[in-house]
Amino acid sequence: MFKTTPGLLFFILLGAALSASAQKTDSLKVDTNQLNKYRIEPVKNALPFRFREVQIHRQEVPVTMLDYRVSYWHKSILFGLNFSQSAFSSNYSAGGISAIALGGNFDYKIEYNKAPLDFTSELALLYGISKNKGQGSRKTNDRIFWDNKIASQLSKHWFFFGSLTFESQFDKGFNYTTDSVGRSVSQLISNFMSPGYLTESVGFEFKPSKFFDLRLGTGTARQTFVLDTTIYHNQPSNYGVPIGKRVLNELAFQAVAVFDKDLSKTTHLNARYALFVPYKQGLSYTSHRVDAVFTSKVSRLIAFTVNGTFLYDKNTSPKVQGTEGLALGVVYKFP
């Protein structure tokens, strides 16, 4: 019994020591915020970074077929249609005549531009008719104009050109008068190819910008046609063609100036001046003609149009002639 007493005493003392140590550990509190002060963060960009030099080398890429085309042709189409109508009752106090008017124009232009060659063809057709109650139908506009020009570039702004121009009208034209009784009398004064003009010209063209060009036709020939041989009864001058003949040939100097430009996003002006000086006649037979068309768009398809013509030609009339038209209608332009 006494032999086991020291061993048992040893184990009792060891247990008491461990129990006291555990109680002391439980009573100790650890503050983690204090420990964060001693945290060591890694250094930024600690790892080395190597920069490599960029090298560029020329490399030929074989091309078997291009995926695009270059077109030297340009075209534009303009079509306009105007309509107006008015009606009055028979007892309308202010008076007036019921009327219907219809007018149309068609412009087609095609160009080929590849230096040094330049080709332009322009076709302009204009026709209008009105019908007044008690007066029948009368035309208000009538013109056929076809101009073709080919030119070769000599310098930055100068070209050598050759042109062919045709002018006439579609329908018969009348001069309306009244007889002794007061009745309306119509006199035929023009018709298709009566007159008709075919003009060939060669010379030099000055073109300082895209919207203006001036032709100086030093060698110009013009044929005036009057195929209706009855017109001279009402038109004594017979448009310069000797009575009994149908064609008059003339050699002359011709100058043609063309201004064609968009004045703004919605307005456009096209004006053409033609000077014709015959070599075998006096300067009094020099003819001048101005044609101008001003267009202002109201919407995408609706436009306001003003056109006018000024003409002085002694073979047609000893006095200055003029016409003016104002219309609101549908205008379509492509592209």
Side-chain angles (χ1 to χ4, degrees):
M1 180 178 180
F2 292 103
K3 291 180 180 181
T4 59
T5 301
L8 180 61
L9 180 62
F10 173 76
F11 285 108
I12 292 173
L13 292 175
L14 180 60
L18 292 175
S19 177
S21 177
Q23 290 179 359
K24 184 178 180 180
T25 302
D26 291 339
S27 62
L28 181 63
K29 294 182 179 180
V30 178
D31 188 355
T32 57
N33 292 328
Q34 295 295 329
L35 293 177
N36 288 335
K37 295 181 180 180
Y38 304 99
R39 183 185 298 273
I40 300 175
E41 298 290 343
V43 180
K44 293 184 178 180
N45 298 328
L47 298 177
F49 185 82
R50 296 178 61 187
F51 293 93
R52 293 184 178 182
E53 182 179 356
V54 177
Q55 296 182 355
I56 300 176
H57 302 280
R58 295 181 62 182
Q59 181 72 34
E60 293 185 1
V61 179
V63 178
T64 57
M65 184 178 67
L66 298 177
D67 58 352
Y68 63 89
R69 286 185 176 183
V70 177
S71 177
Y72 300 98
W73 291 94
H74 309 278
K75 67 179 180 179
S76 64
I77 299 174
L78 187 144
F79 174 76
L81 184 64
N82 308 304
F83 174 79
S84 65
Q85 181 269 341
S86 61
F88 301 86
S89 63
S90 58
N91 62 340
Y92 189 68
S93 59
I97 299 176
S98 299
I100 296 176
L102 181 66
N105 64 285
F106 176 82
D107 296 321
Y108 178 80
K109 186 175 183 180
I110 185 169
E111 295 180 88
Y112 177 84
N113 303 106
K114 185 180 180 181
L117 188 64
D118 179 85
F119 170 75
T120 304
S121 180
E122 182 178 1
L123 175 65
L125 307 176
L126 182 66
Y127 190 80
I129 190 171
S130 66
K131 185 175 183 181
N132 299 334
K133 184 178 180 181
Q135 295 181 348
S137 60
R138 301 181 180 184
K139 68 177 183 179
T140 55
N141 279 313
D142 191 2
R143 191 188 186 205
I144 302 173
F145 176 80
W146 187 23
D147 180 61
N148 302 273
K149 180 199 69 176
I150 185 168
S152 179
Q153 191 169 10
L154 301 176
S155 63
K156 184 177 181 180
H157 299 305
W158 285 95
F159 295 77
F160 179 77
F161 81 93
S163 66
L164 177 66
T165 305
F166 171 75
E167 294 180 76
S168 188
Q169 58 189 25
F170 290 101
D171 203 359
K172 295 179 179 180
F174 296 91
N175 183 26
Y176 297 95
T177 60
T178 55
D179 57 15
S180 58
V181 187
R183 293 175 301 183
S184 177
V185 178
S186 59
Q187 299 176 339
L188 179 66
I189 59 173
S190 63
N191 204 343
F192 175 71
M193 291 299 291
S194 299
Y197 302 96
L198 188 64
T199 306
E200 306 89 15
S201 182
V202 293
F204 300 94
E205 179 184 31
F206 177 61
K207 196 170 184 178
S209 62
K210 293 183 178 180
F211 58 84
F212 176 79
D213 65 84
L214 173 65
R215 302 184 206 172
L216 302 175
T218 53
T220 301
R222 184 173 74 175
Q223 296 79 47
T224 303
F225 298 89
V226 178
L227 302 185
D228 192 334
T229 57
T230 64
I231 284 180
Y232 76 93
H233 294 293
N234 303 317
Q235 186 73 21
S237 65
N238 204 39
Y239 300 102
V241 179
I243 297 174
K245 296 185 178 181
R246 298 188 177 186
V247 183
L248 172 67
N249 289 291
E250 295 178 282
L251 295 177
F253 169 81
Q254 186 185 49
V256 178
V258 178
F259 181 89
D260 190 0
K261 184 181 181 182
D262 289 327
L263 303 181
S264 67
K265 292 183 179 180
T266 58
T267 58
H268 181 84
L269 176 63
N270 180 283
R272 178 187 177 91
Y273 168 71
L275 170 71
F276 188 84
V277 185
Y279 289 141
K280 291 186 178 182
Q281 293 179 306
L283 291 178
S284 62
Y285 284 87
T286 300
S287 65
H288 307 265
R289 180 177 181 124
V290 178
D291 294 281
V293 179
F294 175 80
T295 305
S296 178
K297 287 186 178 182
V298 179
S299 65
R300 186 171 178 268
L301 293 177
I302 305 298
F304 172 78
T305 304
V306 180
N307 63 75
T309 299
F310 167 87
L311 173 64
Y312 175 76
D313 186 352
K314 197 172 181 178
N315 290 324
T316 302
S317 174
K319 297 181 179 180
V320 175
Q321 305 171 63
T323 178
E324 177 268 336
L326 186 150
L328 180 66
V330 177
V331 173
Y332 175 77
K333 185 176 182 180
F334 175 84

